[in-house]
Amino acid sequence: MLGLDTVDLARLQFSTTVMYHIIFLALSIGLSTYLAFLEAMWLKTGNRVYLGIYHYWLPHFAVNYAAGVVSGVIMAFEFGTNWSGFSSKAGGINGVLLTYEVITAFFLEAGFFGIMMFGEGRVSRKVHFFATCIVALGAYISTFWILASNSWMQTPAGYAIENGRFIPENWWHVIFNPSQPFRFVHMSLAALIATAFVVAGIAAWHLYRNNRDTVARKMLSMALWMLTFVVPLQIVAGDVHGLNTLEHQPAKVAAMEAYWKIEPERAGMPMVVFAWPDPEQEKNRYTLEIPRLSSLYLTHSLTGKIQGLEQWPEDERPYVPLVFYAFRLMVYLGFAMLGLVALSLWLRKRKRLYDSRWFLVLTMLATPAGVIAIEAGWVTTEAGRQPWIIYGLLRTVEGVSPFSVSTLVTSLVGLWGIYTLIFAIGAYFFFKLVRRTPEESLPAEEQHDDAQENRAPRHPFSRRSRRDS
Amino acid sequence: MNNELFPIVWFGLIGFALTLYVILDGFSLGIGILFPFVRDDEQRGIMLTSASPFWDGNQTWLVLSTAGLYGAFPLVYASLLPAMYLPLVLMLMCLFFRGMTFEFRSEADSYKGFDIGFSIATLAVAFIQGMIVGSVIGGLASDDSNFAEDAFGWFSWFGLCTGAALVIGYALLGAAWLIVKTEGRLQRRFYSMVRPLMSLFVVSMLTVVVWTPFVNERIAERWSRFPNLLWLGLVAVLMLGLAVATVRSAARRHEKRIFLLVVAMFVLGLIGLIASLYPIMLPPDITLWKAASSRSSQQFLLVGYAIMIPITLGYTAYSYRVFRGKVRESEE
C-alpha cells in the first residue's frame, strides 16, 4: 500500500492505535486528579460549586476511562500480534512490567471506578471519596509501569542477553532505568496540562456565551491556576528530560535539532527555528537559526558541543524531518501555553479574566493544545528511537511479526474503520455533554437539604443524581 | 531444565486468571447475547445496570491473562497471537465497539441502534473467543514461530463448533447471573431460559468432546489410555450431574445456586481442557518449559502476584458486596 513495506504498516498500525489510546489516558489521569481534588474541596468547604463542577466532568471521565480500558486491551494484544520478534525476546522484561501494571493499577482503577460511579447510597461519603482518590492513584501507578516499560526500550538497563533473549538481572535497574523518572514526571505533568486546557476551553466557551455562569468561572479559574503552576514546571522538566536524552540517546537529540555536521569547537550550536531537513543531502534547507541558543539549553553553556548525525552510519539514524517537526511542534506549543498563562495572570490582576472576550476565544482555541503537545512529544521520542525497537540492541525490523502486506492492510483498514466510527460517535456525545451549561449541574439547594434531613443521602456524586437534578 | 517448578506454577496462575475472565466477563457477554430475547428498553437497561459496576474489572482479567502470558511465556504470547491475527483483531475491534456502545447508551436519546450494535459485537466477541480455543486445541499447523505467515491458518470447522459452544455457555452464564440480579417478570423470563440453554450447552459440549480426539492426536492417545479414560468418564458424569442439578434448581427457584452450578461447570470444563493439554501450552508441541521466560522473570512476577492478587480479590469481592442484591431500576 502506497509503497509501504510490512514494517511501515505495522508501525503505522501501532502508532495510530497508541496515539488514539493516549488521548483517553492523558485525560483520565488529569480528570481523575481533578475529580479527587473537587470532591476533597466539596467535603471540606461544603461549597456547592465544587460539586457542580464534579458533576459536570464525571460523565466525561467515565467515557474516557471506559475508552481507555478497551483501547488498552487492544494495545495489550498488539505487542504480541504485531511485534512477535520483540515480545518473544523481551517478554521476560516488558511482559513482566505490563503484568505489574495490571495487578497494581488496572484492577485498582476498575474496582474502585465502579464504586465511584455507582456507589450512590451504598457507601458512605468517606468511602466514596476514598474510591475517587484510589482511581486517581491507580492512573499514576499505571503511568509509572507503562513508562518503565517504554523507557526500558529507550534506555535499557539491568539486563543480560542469553540466546538472543533479554534476561532481567537487576529489577531495580530495569524499572528505574536512566530515562524512566524523567519520562514519568514529564508525562504526568503533560496529562495535567492537557486536561486543564480542555477544562479551561470548555469553561471559556460557556463564559463566552454567558459570563455570569459561576460554575464556569470557577472552572476556568481553577484550570488556569493549574496551568500557571504546571506549565513552567513542565518546561523545566522537559529541559531536564532533554539533557537525559542527550546523554543516553544523542542521535535522537541530533535529529530533534536537525544537526547533520559536527560543528567546529567553540562555535556553539544554533537553535534551528525553522528548516526543511533533507536526509538525502544531509543538510537543512530554508534555515532560520538563532546562534548559540541550543548550546545554552542543551549544555547550559554558550559554546557547548552537540554531536551531529554524520557521526552515525546512515542505517542508525532516525527519519529526521518527522522527529524535527514533532519536537518543534511540542516545544512551540509549550511556549505558546506559557504565553497564555502569562496573559491570564495579567488579566486576573486587572480582574478582567472572565469578560475579556478575546482571551476567552484564545482559551477556546487552546482546548486541544495539551493533547497535541502530548502526541507530538510521543512522536518525537518514538520516531527518534528508530531504527531501534530496543535502543541500540534490537532493530525494529527484527521485532516485527512476519505478516503479508495484504493481512496488514486488512487489519489496518478494519482498525481505522472502527476507530473512526467510535471517534465520530464519541465526538457527537462529547459535544452533547459539553452543551450543558456548567450552571445546570449545580445541585439545587433544597434538594441538597432534603437529602440531609432524610439522613439518607442520595449520594451527590453518582451519575444518577446528576440526571435527576 | 532445573527450574521446572516455576513454569508449572505460572501455567496454573494464567489458567486461574483466564478462568476468572471467562466467568466474570462471561456473564457480561451473556447479557449482550440475551439482548435479542428481551424487547423492552427499560428491562435491557436493568440487565446492563446489573453488570455496570463490575464491567471494567471483569475485562481486566483478560488483560491480566494476556500480560501474564507475555511476561511468563513470551514464546506462546508471540506465537499464538500472530497465528490468530485476523480473528483477534476482529475480536478486539468488537470488544472496543461493545465497550463504547455500553458506555454511550446511557447518554443516547434512542437505545435501538446501540442495543443492536452492542448485541452483535458481543456475539462476535464470544464466538471468536470460542473459535480461538478450538483452533488452539486443533494445533497451529505450522512449524515453530512462523505461525504468522499463513493468514487463514486459524480457520477450522472444529473452531466453529467451539465458538458456538462458548456463545451458548456465555448465554447460560448470563441468564444465571440475571436471575440473581433481577426480579418479577424479567426474572421469570430468565428462569424459563435455563432449561433450553442448558440442553443446547450439553449437546454442544458433547459434540466438542467427541470431536476433540479427531483434531488432536495427542489428546486422542492420552484419553484412550487406561486411568485417563476413567477420569474423562468421571468429568462427563459430573458435568451431566451439574447440568441436571442446574435445571432442577431453576424449577425450584434457587436463585444463587443456579449461578454457582453453571460456574462449576465452566471451571470443570476449563480444568478438563487444561489437564488434557498439559504440559503442552501450544499444540502441537510447545511445552510450558520451552515457552517459559527466565527464572528471574517468573520469580519477580510471582512476588507481585502473591502480594497483589489476594488484595485484588479482596476489593473485588468488596465491590460485589457493595452492589449485591436486586437491580430495581435501570441506572441509565
Side-chain angles (χ1 to χ4, degrees), chain A residues 60 202 205 425-436:
Chain A
H60 285 276
I202 303 298
W205 180 54
I425 304 174
Y428 169 79
F429 282 106
F430 176 76
F431 285 112
K432 198 177 157 191
L433 280 174
V434 299
R435 261 206 315 270
R436 294 174 301 130

Side-chain angles (χ1 to χ4, degrees), chain A residues 253-271:
Chain A
V253 174
M256 281 152 66
E257 304 287 353
Y259 293 144
W260 300 97
K261 303 272 178 285
I262 302 166
E263 299 291 331
E265 202 72 41
R266 305 204 59 75
M269 299 303 275
M271 180 195 156

